[in-house]
């Protein structure tokens, strides 16, 4: 993999080292540069999880992806820099209070002075890695994050206000290392099954320095300095133009 080109693509400057400062910078740069999107699924393009396929899509063709793509290529980048990286299985929290099946979500654990939760593939989430600890609140621009432990399970929670505001559980995970190929069946399910939310609704979203830009079906949401503006698109042509204008994405056949 062409590491200098990857780093240039996400806007990382300097010499990467296998340390916390570099990890934090890489995570933030990746989140700001590479959108969370399911365009390949909606437009019936194949999902290629090979190193070459991911690099071509995300770096060479300025695309994004979902967790199985984004965290997989980010792990390859981190490993080649020298980080100790493990794949971990997340189970996404549903509205009815249940959790998804094993391998429902791919996340990463990077071990430095302590283990850190690394995740560039969950959409509207944390911009910098989280300490895997239950003893402290971890405030960021996108909310305050906290981990609750229940046996071997860690529950990732986010509050959008102070400690008295409602805590939303995002997903749960254990620290058991997994092999990337263990996620392949769920990746296939989420990219092909009519029961998967990824096949039902188009989404393309990324944070900005002062907010977030999201395209959801034909709704464009631009949040800037806590001011939210929604507009409705009226055609496929307008949607493709929004992808070009806000994400610099040119869809290929």
């Amino acid at each position: 993999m062409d590491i200098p080109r990857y780093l240039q693509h996400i806007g990382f400057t300097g010499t990467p080292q296998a340390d916390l400062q570099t990890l934090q910078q890489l995570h933030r740069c990746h989140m700001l540069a590479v959108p969370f999107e399911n365009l390949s699924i909606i437009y019936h393009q194949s999902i290629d999880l090979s190193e070459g396929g991911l690099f071509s899509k995300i770096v060479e063709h300025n695309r994004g992806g979902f967790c199985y793509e984004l965290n997989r290529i980010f792990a390859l980048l981190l490993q080649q820099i020298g980080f100790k990286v493990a794949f971990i299985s997340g189970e996404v929290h549903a509205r009815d209070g249940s959790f998804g099946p094993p391998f429902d979500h791919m996340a990463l654990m990077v071990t430095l002075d302590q283990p850190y939760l690394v995740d560039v593939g969950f959409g509207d989430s944390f911009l910098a890695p989280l300490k895997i600890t239950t003893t402290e609140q971890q405030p960021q621009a996108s909310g305050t994050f906290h981990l609750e432990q229940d046996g071997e399970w860690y529950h990732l929670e986010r509050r959008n206000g102070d400690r008295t505001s409602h805590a939303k559980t995002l997903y749960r995970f254990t620290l058991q290392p997994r092999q990337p190929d263990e996620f392949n069946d769920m990746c296939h399910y989420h990219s092909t099954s009519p029961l998967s939310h990824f096949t039902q609704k188009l989404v393309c979203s990324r944070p900005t320095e002062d907010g977030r830009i999201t395209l959801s079906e034909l709704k464009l949401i631009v949040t800037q300095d806590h001011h939210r503006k929604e507009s409705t698109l009226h055609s496929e042509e307008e949607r493709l133009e929004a992808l070009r204008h806000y994400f610099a994405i040119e869809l290929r056949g």
Side-chain angles (χ1 to χ4, degrees), residues 40-41 45-58 63-66 68-70 72-73 76 184 187-188 191 252:
S40 291
I41 297 170
Q45 300 170 343
S46 61
I47 302 293
D48 184 351
L49 297 177
S50 69
E51 179 177 323
L54 292 172
F55 188 86
S56 174
K57 177 182 180 179
I58 293 169
R63 286 284 304 280
F66 63 159
Y68 306 107
E69 300 171 286
L70 300 183
R72 193 167 184 139
I73 192 173
L76 291 170
N184 288 356
C187 177
H188 179 74
S191 59
R252 298 175 294 134

Side-chain angles (χ1 to χ4, degrees), residues 16-253:
Q17 306 289 334
D19 57 26
L20 179 58
Q21 182 179 6
T22 296
L23 180 63
Q24 291 170 332
Q25 291 174 342
L26 287 172
H27 197 288
R28 179 179 176 82
C29 285
H30 207 283
M31 291 287 287
L32 292 173
V34 181
F36 177 84
E37 48 103 330
N38 65 339
L39 302 175
S40 291
I41 297 170
I42 296 298
Y43 288 97
H44 306 292
Q45 300 170 343
S46 61
I47 302 293
D48 184 351
L49 297 177
S50 69
E51 179 177 323
L54 292 172
F55 188 86
S56 174
K57 177 182 180 179
I58 293 169
V59 178
E60 296 179 338
H61 292 96
N62 194 44
R63 286 284 304 280
F66 63 159
C67 68
Y68 306 107
E69 300 171 286
L70 300 183
N71 281 322
R72 193 167 184 139
I73 192 173
F74 194 54
L76 291 170
L77 173 68
L78 295 178
Q79 288 167 341
Q80 293 194 28
I81 291 172
F83 288 97
K84 181 181 178 182
V85 185
F87 294 90
I88 55 176
S89 170
E91 300 179 0
V92 179
H93 189 249
R95 290 183 178 180
D96 64 5
S98 64
F99 288 92
F103 309 109
D104 191 35
H105 176 62
M106 172 188 278
L108 306 173
M109 178 175 64
V110 173
T111 302
L112 291 166
D113 57 314
Q114 65 180 83
Y116 290 84
L117 179 64
V118 170
D119 192 349
V120 296
F122 196 71
D124 188 6
S125 187
F126 48 92
L127 292 184
L130 299 176
K131 300 175 185 177
I132 299 182
T133 177
T134 60
T135 61
E136 61 183 277
Q137 304 283 328
Q138 301 185 61
Q140 298 195 13
S142 56
T144 297
F145 296 86
H146 183 256
L147 291 172
E148 292 285 346
Q149 190 168 6
D150 180 15
E152 67 174 349
W153 292 101
Y154 287 87
H155 293 243
L156 174 61
E157 298 181 347
R158 178 179 63 193
R159 286 182 170 87
N160 291 329
D162 58 27
R163 295 185 63 176
T164 63
S165 64
H166 175 69
K168 178 183 179 181
T169 301
L170 303 182
Y171 59 84
R172 69 179 183 179
F173 63 94
T174 73
L175 303 186
Q176 180 180 352
R178 302 290 191 172
Q179 295 300 315
D181 289 349
E182 292 184 82
F183 295 85
N184 288 356
D185 286 347
M186 283 303 296
C187 177
H188 179 74
Y189 167 82
H190 278 307
S191 59
T192 61
S193 172
L195 300 178
S196 168
H197 59 276
F198 287 107
T199 65
Q200 298 173 20
K201 182 178 181 180
L202 179 148
V203 64
C204 185
S205 182
R206 67 172 176 82
T208 63
E209 291 288 353
D210 56 4
R212 174 169 287 273
I213 302 172
T214 298
L215 178 62
S216 177
E217 284 292 292
L218 290 174
K219 180 181 290 185
L220 180 67
I221 306 167
V222 179
T223 304
Q224 186 175 18
D225 293 327
H226 304 289
H227 177 71
R228 177 186 173 103
K229 180 181 179 181
E230 292 189 15
S231 56
T232 299
L233 309 178
H234 298 95
S235 66
E236 175 66 8
E237 289 72 21
E238 289 187 8
R239 182 158 72 179
L240 293 175
E241 177 56 32
L243 288 171
R244 283 190 289 266
H245 179 75
Y246 290 99
F247 301 96
I249 289 178
E250 291 279 356
L251 287 180
R252 298 175 294 134

Side-chain angles (χ1 to χ4, degrees), residues 3-12:
I3 298 299
R5 186 168 182 185
Y6 193 154
L7 296 178
Q8 181 184 36
H9 177 67
I10 64 174
F12 178 89

